[in-house]
Amino acid sequence: MIVSSVLLAPPSPFLRNPNPNPNPNPSSPIPPKPHRLPRPPSSQSPSSTAPLLPKSLLLSLISDQDRGIKTQSNPSKRAEIIQAIEDLAVLSAGTITTGPALSATWRMLWTTEKEQLFIIKNAGLFGTAAGDVLQVIDVGNGVLNNVITFPPDGVFFVRSSIDPAPPQRVNFKFTSAVLRGSNWEIPLPPFGQGWFESVYMDDEIRVAKDIRGDYLVVDRAPYSWKE
């Protein structure tokens, strides 16, 4: 997931909700409970010793990595995960992943992106906790929102315009950013542009690489995030 350098700015002055009795914004539902990874599809019987297929292996490898936080201190695990991603990319080479099926609320399962992981890991220092981290894509309208939720009613999101470049690349440009609580909102000035490639996508998950060499694994969230 790509997030502008505005994420590097200290979030502490704003993440604590100044209203002790928040009234959640019904137009921007934020699930209060953590999600579970999709069950890796089984391609073998319990007694089989055959190797897992790349997708199953990838989901198994990231299942205990706390969205990538644990991977940061485990180079061998990182290498295994990236190899599984590259194996999936080979299987999906040439597949078009920039069409209507890309439009969805995608929920982060694992990433190497340091800015995202820093906020997830350290949100507690600012009196809050990170909830779902989302990438909300609308191909038809050319819009991408990168979203970090802070239950019960906090959210930080960066708006971008997108320009798909089939078969797998999407170019993007940041347009605005907002830090929002239950009854307050602070606009922030993002800047930057780049691209990401969805090297694998099916009806459950999507795997992407970006211009900075970061990796992202997301699943289709069971809800649609709206501003």
Side-chain angles (χ1 to χ4, degrees):
M1 181 176 298
I2 312 294
V3 176
S4 72
S5 58
V6 70
L7 289 182
L8 295 176
S12 55
F14 311 116
L15 295 184
R16 185 184 298 275
N17 188 348
N19 182 356
N21 296 299
N23 180 21
N25 183 351
S27 65
S28 300
I30 300 173
K33 297 181 180 180
H35 63 277
R36 295 183 178 181
L37 292 177
R39 182 185 298 275
S42 175
S43 61
Q44 53 190 347
S45 66
S47 60
S48 173
T49 58
L52 291 173
L53 294 176
K55 176 183 173 181
S56 303
L57 177 60
L58 175 60
L59 293 177
S60 177
L61 287 171
I62 68 174
S63 63
D64 62 351
Q65 292 301 295
D66 196 11
R67 294 192 278 192
I69 291 175
K70 294 181 179 179
T71 318
Q72 289 182 306
S73 59
N74 191 337
S76 62
K77 175 68 75 171
R78 175 189 167 101
E80 284 186 272
I81 293 171
I82 291 176
Q83 184 59 58
I85 289 174
E86 296 296 345
D87 290 344
L88 268 180
V90 170
L91 293 177
S92 188
T95 302
I96 295 177
T97 58
T98 56
L102 181 60
S103 295
T105 295
W106 297 97
R107 179 175 51 183
M108 190 180 81
L109 303 179
W110 182 87
T111 190
T112 60
E113 190 170 301
K114 294 178 181 178
E115 294 90 344
Q116 296 277 2
L117 295 175
F118 177 85
I119 293 175
I120 294 170
K121 184 177 181 180
N122 295 288
L125 298 177
F126 310 114
T128 186
D132 283 347
V133 179
L134 308 169
Q135 196 174 61
V136 185
I137 300 175
D138 184 339
V139 174
N141 289 314
V143 174
L144 160 68
N145 282 328
N146 287 309
V147 182
I148 302 178
T149 64
F150 301 100
D153 57 356
V155 63
F156 172 76
F157 60 96
V158 179
R159 302 183 185 99
S160 304
S161 60
I162 58 172
D163 179 22
Q168 297 186 335
R169 181 168 293 190
V170 173
N171 299 300
F172 66 88
K173 184 176 182 179
F174 299 122
T175 57
S176 63
V178 173
L179 184 62
R180 178 183 294 164
S182 61
N183 58 2
W184 53 272
E185 180 173 304
I186 300 173
L188 298 170
F191 57 90
Q193 59 187 9
W195 55 260
F196 65 87
E197 292 180 342
S198 297
V199 298
Y200 178 85
M201 184 173 70
D202 62 19
D203 59 356
E204 291 184 322
I205 71 167
R206 180 169 60 89
V207 181
K209 299 192 294 185
D210 68 31
I211 190 173
R212 301 192 309 177
D214 280 315
Y215 294 84
L216 172 71
V217 182
V218 291
D219 71 352
R220 295 181 187 270
Y223 61 91
S224 295
W225 184 87
K226 304 290 184 183
E227 288 192 35

